[in-house]
Amino acid sequence: MAEGEPRSLAETPTWSVATVMTGFVAICFIVERSIYRFGKWLKKTKRKAMLAALEKVREELMLLGLISLILSQTSRWISEICVPSSLFTSRFYICSEDDFEVVGGVSSLLNETQLVKSIFGSSTHTCSEGHEPFVSLEGLEQLHRFLFVLGITHVLYSFVTVVLSMIKIYSWTKWESQAYPLSNENLQAKRTKMLRRQSTFVFHHASHPWSKNKVLIWMLCFVRQFKGSIARSDYMALRQGFITYHKLPQSYDFHKYIVRSMDDYYSASVGISWPLWAYAIVCIFVNIHGLNIYFWLSFLPAILVMLVGTELQHVVAQLALEVVETVDPVGTHLKPRDDLFWFKNPDVLLWLIQFISFQNAFEMATFIWSMWQLGLHSCLMKNQFMVIIRLICGLSVQFWCSYSTLPLNVIITQMGSKCKKSLVSEHVRESLHKWCKRVRRKTQLARSLSVTSLDFTVDETEETLTVGTLSRTVSRTSLDDLGEIEAEAAVTDELLPDHN
């Protein structure tokens, strides 16, 4: 081996190779066992929505691992694809030629690092004159690291989002407990409290003069979103409207339903879907020097989160204005329906919130990657004032969206025409599924026995079969009735909990 050249694996001491292998295996084993035990705990506590979210995290890690494997194995082949140098115009560079000269005066040229030598070794392939590699080994390695940082950052942002949202949602527990005594009071007491809550709810959302104007009400709702997530009177009114519209008992635990809905949201939001991957690819393509596209995109989440907050406040205002026209208790006259939301689809707001979280994660991943791979003196970091504004804006919007907008969205989107499957808990749904399966098996077995009995013509045999069929039918009916009783008991426990 020549002096100064890197050692091959055959020329490396076995103890150093074994040490590195031990470190990698230990880290991977700890991460894998931690995920496994966390999933086991979620399964034990019957939180299937969170378990499904954990499975998506595993899929995300598997996808990142697959991307890493493919890039590491195909990088040399891709770098050996030569294309005419005329295709590589500075028009599509991230940095301008002047930026390269400035950076070169400080340290070294931006694209002349030691990544190729330290990771892949020296390449023996060179393109002919007038041609260059389609993507260099260095560029592929930097792309590899950017995708890895993006995936990890998005998972962490999703986790932080749910934690902050759950903190806000669990703060509503005291309001739910205050609503339970209504079911134990007489009719007049219930009506009095409902009317009091109705007047508070209507006063907050329909007393302002602008609320009567179809245009000014949007400006009013825009301002209201900055006063807080939701008030106690709003929670009580929305809870009563939901319970009345879906014909649930007054003792129904609406707060637990909101928590289960939040679990389902987390299950659906974790992971990067193909539209988000497509958006990331488009952002990378249009990131041309001079456009400052990342700077302007950093304000997109702020605009979207304010639009979503305004729309949610507008939905509540519409419900309150409808109550003004009536004199009965608020819960009786709230009219939940999909027409209140954009495109008559409450899920549109949830999709926008998911995009906001991804865009903020993309912004942070770009910053981390730029600092890691390109350094502080790169063209992406030369205007530090703009970078600081982007970071502060992204972090502030993510916190506001997680702690205020998302909890508000979870409860207000329940005012749609349909309720979610989380209306009942997981064990109740399992009991109902088991009972339905028993009913289907009973029906199929009864049909098969009816067809078989037609093949017997001997009276004695027919009599025996009839007695046996009746006996088995009675037994199956008894078992099915028992299953129905169990399912009914489970539903009763869910919808009529004991709050004493």
Side-chain angles (χ1 to χ4, degrees):
M1 183 189 71
E3 185 178 356
E5 291 185 1
R7 294 177 179 270
S8 66
L9 190 63
E11 299 171 321
T12 304
T14 56
W15 61 266
S16 61
V17 177
T19 301
V20 173
M21 282 292 298
T22 302
F24 277 119
V25 172
I27 293 174
C28 294
F29 184 78
I30 291 173
V31 173
E32 191 275 333
R33 287 289 93 185
S34 300
I35 294 176
Y36 171 76
R37 291 187 179 275
F38 184 55
K40 191 175 181 180
W41 176 81
L42 291 176
K43 188 175 182 180
K44 183 179 179 180
T45 55
K46 298 181 178 180
R47 305 193 69 173
K48 288 194 172 182
M50 297 296 289
L51 184 60
L54 183 63
E55 290 298 324
K56 286 194 174 183
V57 172
R58 287 179 177 176
E59 293 176 2
E60 190 76 15
L61 294 176
M62 184 180 296
L63 178 61
L64 292 174
L66 181 61
I67 292 175
S68 176
L69 178 63
I70 294 176
L71 280 175
S72 62
Q73 296 301 317
T74 61
S75 293
R76 187 175 298 276
W77 299 340
I78 295 176
S79 65
E80 292 177 355
I81 300 175
C82 297
V83 296
S85 300
S86 59
L87 296 178
F88 291 91
T89 61
S90 60
R91 178 182 179 183
F92 288 94
Y93 287 175
I94 297 177
C95 302
S96 64
E97 294 181 352
D98 295 336
D99 294 327
F100 281 98
E101 294 177 359
V102 171
V103 174
V106 177
S107 57
S108 62
L109 288 178
L110 185 63
N111 60 345
E112 291 182 359
T113 66
Q114 298 299 322
L115 283 173
V116 178
K117 294 183 180 180
S118 61
I119 297 175
F120 298 101
S122 300
S123 177
T124 59
H125 177 80
T126 55
C127 295
S128 60
E129 185 178 356
H131 290 75
E132 296 182 29
F134 185 66
V135 182
S136 66
L137 285 174
E138 176 191 355
L140 290 171
E141 176 61 20
Q142 291 179 337
L143 176 61
H144 175 193
R145 294 182 178 182
F146 173 74
L147 295 177
F148 179 80
V149 171
L150 176 59
I152 297 300
T153 306
H154 181 253
V155 171
L156 291 177
Y157 263 55
S158 299
F159 176 76
V160 173
T161 297
V162 173
V163 169
L164 292 176
S165 301
M166 283 299 188
I167 292 174
K168 186 65 175 181
I169 290 176
Y170 275 110
S171 67
W172 302 339
T173 306
K174 57 181 181 297
W175 297 341
E176 184 69 23
S177 61
Q178 294 172 5
Y180 291 147
L182 289 176
S183 59
N184 301 324
E185 297 172 350
N186 56 48
L187 183 61
Q188 184 59 34
K190 292 180 182 180
R191 186 177 181 86
T192 301
K193 285 192 175 183
M194 284 184 176
L195 288 174
R196 189 185 307 121
R197 291 171 181 173
Q198 169 194 348
S199 60
T200 306
F201 174 71
V202 173
F203 177 78
H204 285 165
H205 296 280
S207 60
H208 198 281
W210 287 8
S211 61
K212 306 298 189 299
N213 188 287
K214 293 184 178 181
V215 177
L216 296 179
I217 190 175
W218 286 97
M219 300 177 61
L220 183 63
C221 293
F222 174 81
V223 176
R224 282 175 177 170
Q225 67 176 313
F226 300 105
K227 295 183 178 180
S229 179
I230 191 172
R232 175 180 175 274
S233 59
D234 299 340
Y235 179 88
M236 293 294 185
L238 296 175
R239 176 188 183 276
Q240 185 64 30
F242 178 84
I243 288 176
T244 304
Y245 180 78
H246 294 289
K247 299 179 181 180
L248 300 172
Q250 290 293 329
S251 58
Y252 178 74
D253 198 328
F254 182 66
H255 184 265
K256 286 186 177 179
Y257 169 64
I258 296 298
V259 173
R260 291 193 294 266
S261 299
M262 189 64 207
D263 289 344
D264 292 338
Y265 158 77
Y266 187 50
S267 173
S269 62
V270 173
I272 304 178
S273 59
W274 71 264
L276 294 180
W277 278 115
Y279 170 77
I281 294 173
V282 171
C283 288
I284 293 174
F285 176 74
V286 299
N287 184 29
I288 304 172
H289 69 87
L291 294 181
N292 294 324
I293 189 67
Y294 285 176
F295 175 77
W296 300 114
L297 285 178
S298 63
F299 296 102
L300 183 59
I303 296 173
L304 290 178
V305 77
M306 288 188 290
L307 288 176
V308 172
T310 303
E311 166 63 9
L312 292 173
Q313 291 292 340
H314 186 257
V315 171
V316 178
Q318 284 182 286
L319 293 171
L321 289 172
E322 292 174 356
V323 174
V324 175
E325 302 175 357
T326 62
V327 293
D328 291 332
V330 57
T332 307
H333 292 277
L334 282 183
K335 299 177 181 179
R337 60 192 185 277
D338 292 342
D339 294 343
L340 298 171
F341 299 89
W342 287 335
F343 308 106
K344 299 181 180 181
N345 187 359
D347 292 335
V348 171
L349 300 178
L350 183 58
W351 297 337
L352 289 177
I353 292 177
Q354 292 175 0
F355 175 77
I356 291 170
S357 180
F358 176 79
Q359 172 59 33
N360 287 330
F362 185 85
E363 184 74 21
M364 180 58 67
T366 303
F367 171 76
I368 295 174
W369 176 81
S370 299
M371 290 290 295
W372 179 19
Q373 293 293 290
L374 305 181
L376 184 62
H377 300 289
S378 68
C379 63
L380 298 179
M381 296 291 176
K382 66 177 182 179
N383 194 332
Q384 297 183 4
F385 179 72
M386 293 174 60
V387 173
I388 293 175
I389 291 179
R390 287 167 51 189
L391 291 178
I392 293 177
C393 181
L395 293 175
S396 301
V397 169
Q398 187 65 27
F399 176 81
W400 179 259
C401 180
S402 304
Y403 192 71
S404 179
T405 306
L406 180 56
L408 186 64
N409 177 77
V410 172
I411 187 172
I412 292 181
T413 50
Q414 311 306 325
M415 297 297 104
S417 303
K418 300 177 182 178
C419 61
K420 297 180 173 59
K421 64 178 182 179
S422 54
L423 181 69
V424 293
S425 59
E426 185 65 30
H427 74 278
V428 175
R429 294 200 296 269
E430 290 179 356
S431 299
L432 292 174
H433 288 322
K434 292 178 180 178
W435 175 69
C436 290
K437 289 181 180 179
R438 284 196 292 266
V439 171
R440 284 194 292 268
R441 284 198 298 266
K442 171 194 170 182
T443 303
Q444 295 173 358
L445 186 59
R447 290 177 179 175
S448 63
L449 289 174
S450 299
V451 174
T452 304
S453 63
L454 295 177
D455 296 336
F456 290 89
T457 56
V458 182
D459 294 340
E460 182 178 358
T461 304
E462 184 176 356
E463 181 179 357
T464 303
L465 178 62
T466 303
V467 174
T469 301
L470 289 174
S471 176
R472 287 190 296 272
T473 302
V474 171
S475 299
R476 287 193 306 274
T477 303
S478 301
L479 291 175
D480 188 65
D481 290 341
L482 180 60
E484 184 175 358
I485 292 173
E486 293 176 353
E488 183 178 357
V491 175
T492 303
D493 292 339
E494 175 69 21
L495 299 182
L496 297 173
D498 185 11
H499 301 293
N500 296 329

